[in-house]
Every structure is written in structure tokens, then in C-alpha cells.
Amino acid sequence: MATAASTLTDDTVYPTSDGKPMAETDVHRDQMFDAIKTLDGHFADRPDVYVTGNLMVYFEKGDGRRHRSPDVMVVFGVPKKRRDLYKTWEEDRFPDFVLEITSRSTQSEDTDEKYLVYRDIWKVKEYFLFDPVEEYLEPSLQDYRLVDGEYQPVPRQHGQLVSEVLGLRLDREGLRLVFREPGGGRVILRPDEARARRAELALELAQTKARFADDARDSAEMERDYEKAERERAEAVAERERGARVEAEAEVAKLRAELDALRRNPPG
């Protein structure tokens, strides 16, 4: 990873990279990006919520060695904007929520070094650990909540962990960490997933409307055909009745003529 640098007037250099790989594996990297995008989309309408990850966070002015880089972090009360790095003394805020996509190779750092920094210095309100491939963590998703300066494990509710900071439920589906709404438990989608889902629903709606329109046209045509057939039947009946009436009237006229002739010229 390329390293850039940002300098203060005190000549302290604050690199934007520590030179370490972004993630252990594709699975870990994908889970990190997935969580960042999901939470960033969820808080898209909150200008005071900053969601990021794999960003250098410096927490002691004048010391470029005092930093950590959480996989995922959420800070409430700071402007939502792009940053090259995060300096806690300038932002005047530490992260409120941190998630580490952990593995066996990062176990000691995630459960010891970072754990102590997050608890004692940053005072992160909630610290989540997620082991996507279940290498060492049991259960593979864990949450620590800061209570009176100590991290307390958070018990599960119906198999899920509840983040009071985010106002969301978390659990795993296969290799994936999912975030759910607190009520019905609906999975919160990434923005790209939401767009794809909206497109699917829009297409389904258009197809359904077209199907109903076709059915309505077919129904209207059937009704018109039925009405036409009824008119033709009624006309045929009327025509038959008119023909029968004409024949009857002609027969009556013939009989009257014969009767008149007999009256005028009686037989014998």
C-alpha cells in the first residue's frame, strides 16, 4: 500500500498508511468493505455520523507512532466528510463503535493491544469482534460494551447481538456479518444492494401492471364479444319473430279473402 504523509506545524509526520496489508484474506477484506458500505448507507441522512474503516487514527498530538486503524468505526457528532486520516485532538471525538474483522493471525492484536487502547484511551462504547471463517473466536461474533470503564460481554438476544450505539441487531449469515433493524429484524442492505433490489421490484411492478393491463384488455374484449353475440342473437330472434308475424298476417289475409268470397257467392 502506498504511503502518503500529512505534516503539522510542529513537524510531526502523520502517515496515512502503516504499510500493513489491508486485510488478511479476501473474505476478511470483503466483510470489512461490506460493513462499512452498509453502515455508511444506513446513516446516509445523518450529516453528523462518520463511518469509515482501515483509516489511520492518531490519538496523541505530536507522536506519529500513536495510532490504530480499526477495520470499521463509527463516530457520532463529527461532520460526514472524506478524510485522509483521523486526528482525535482535532475532531475532539473518539470512535463510538469499532468492529474488527478478526483472524487467528490478528488475535493477539485484536483481543489485547487494540482492546486496551479502545477501552482505556479511546473509551469506545462498543467493541465488536467478528471471525468470519471461525478460526478461533467462539462464538464467532462478540460484543463488548463499556460499563464503568470496563468492557462487559453483551449477552445475545434471540441469537443476535444488539448494538445500543447503532440501534441495530447484528448476527451472521454464512460468512457474512449482517445488520438488522431493531424491530422486525429486516436485513439492512448495502446501497448497491438496495438499488438492485429497487430495480428488481420496479421491474416486477411494471410486469405485474402490464399483466393486469393485458388481462383487462382480454376481459374487455371478451365482454365486447359477448355483447356482440347477444345483440346478434337478439336480432336473429327479432328477425324470426318478424318473419313469423308476416307469414301469420299473410295467412290471416288469405283466409279473410276466402271468407269474403264465400259470403258473396254462397255455394249452391
Side-chain angles (χ1 to χ4, degrees):
M1 183 183 301
T3 302
S6 173
T7 10
L8 287 179
T9 54
D10 63 1
D11 295 329
T12 303
V13 177
Y14 298 92
T16 57
S17 170
D18 57 5
K20 296 180 180 179
M22 183 180 298
E24 296 301 309
T25 67
D26 288 346
V27 171
H28 293 79
R29 184 198 61 233
D30 291 347
Q31 293 309 304
M32 180 177 67
F33 285 154
D34 191 68
I36 293 171
K37 291 177 181 177
T38 300
L39 291 175
D40 193 41
H42 179 67
F43 292 109
D45 60 346
R46 290 280 305 273
D48 63 334
V49 179
Y50 176 53
V51 179
T52 190
N54 193 46
L55 189 79
M56 298 289 284
V57 178
Y58 291 92
F59 54 95
E60 187 170 317
K61 185 177 180 179
D63 191 344
R65 298 168 300 177
R66 299 282 282 172
H67 61 76
R68 286 294 181 270
S69 180
D71 289 337
V72 183
M73 74 180 201
V74 181
V75 192
F76 290 81
V78 299
K80 185 193 301 293
K81 65 179 182 179
R82 290 185 177 276
R83 294 167 170 83
D84 294 331
L85 46 81
Y86 189 97
K87 302 170 187 172
T88 59
W89 61 92
E90 290 185 357
E91 304 285 352
D92 198 30
R93 291 287 301 183
F94 284 95
D96 297 283
F97 170 93
V98 165
L99 165 67
E100 295 290 353
I101 312 299
T102 188
S103 65
R104 191 180 299 279
S105 62
T106 64
Q107 175 181 354
S108 61
E109 183 179 10
D110 294 334
T111 60
D112 186 7
E113 298 172 28
K114 287 185 175 180
Y115 181 97
L116 295 176
V117 169
Y118 296 160
R119 184 192 67 183
D120 300 336
I121 301 175
W122 292 16
K123 300 189 185 304
V124 177
K125 296 175 184 176
E126 287 183 340
Y127 178 34
F128 275 76
L129 288 166
F130 179 53
D131 178 6
V133 294
E134 301 178 280
E135 285 186 308
Y136 79 95
L137 207 58
E138 178 59 41
S140 59
L141 174 63
Q142 297 183 9
D143 174 19
Y144 296 92
R145 187 170 296 150
L146 195 64
V147 180
D148 296 329
E150 295 292 335
Y151 271 147
Q152 302 293 335
V154 176
R156 292 175 175 270
Q157 297 182 18
H158 308 292
Q160 302 172 353
L161 290 175
V162 178
S163 168
E164 292 183 349
V165 171
L166 302 179
L168 301 173
R169 292 178 176 268
L170 287 76
D171 67 357
R172 70 176 298 151
E173 286 186 353
L175 294 175
R176 185 181 181 187
L177 174 65
V178 296
F179 297 85
R180 299 180 183 274
E181 292 181 345
R186 184 179 67 87
V187 173
I188 296 172
L189 303 177
R190 298 190 312 264
D192 60 317
E193 291 177 319
R195 287 192 296 270
R197 183 57 180 151
R198 284 196 296 270
E200 290 175 3
L201 292 174
L203 177 60
E204 184 178 348
L205 178 60
Q207 291 173 339
T208 302
K209 286 182 176 179
R211 195 160 53 244
F212 278 127
D214 290 340
D215 292 344
R217 281 193 296 271
D218 292 343
S219 177
E221 288 176 4
M222 290 175 61
E223 186 173 352
R224 286 194 296 271
D225 290 343
Y226 175 77
E227 290 175 351
K228 180 181 178 182
E230 283 294 298
R231 286 195 303 272
E232 291 175 348
R233 186 184 66 81
E235 290 172 359
V237 170
E239 185 63 27
R240 287 196 299 272
E241 290 178 349
R242 282 195 298 272
R245 189 169 59 253
V246 168
E247 290 178 2
E249 290 174 351
E251 184 66 24
V252 168
K254 178 182 177 183
L255 292 174
R256 282 177 177 171
E258 291 178 357
L259 181 59
D260 290 342
L262 286 175
R263 286 174 179 171
R264 289 193 299 269
N265 299 301

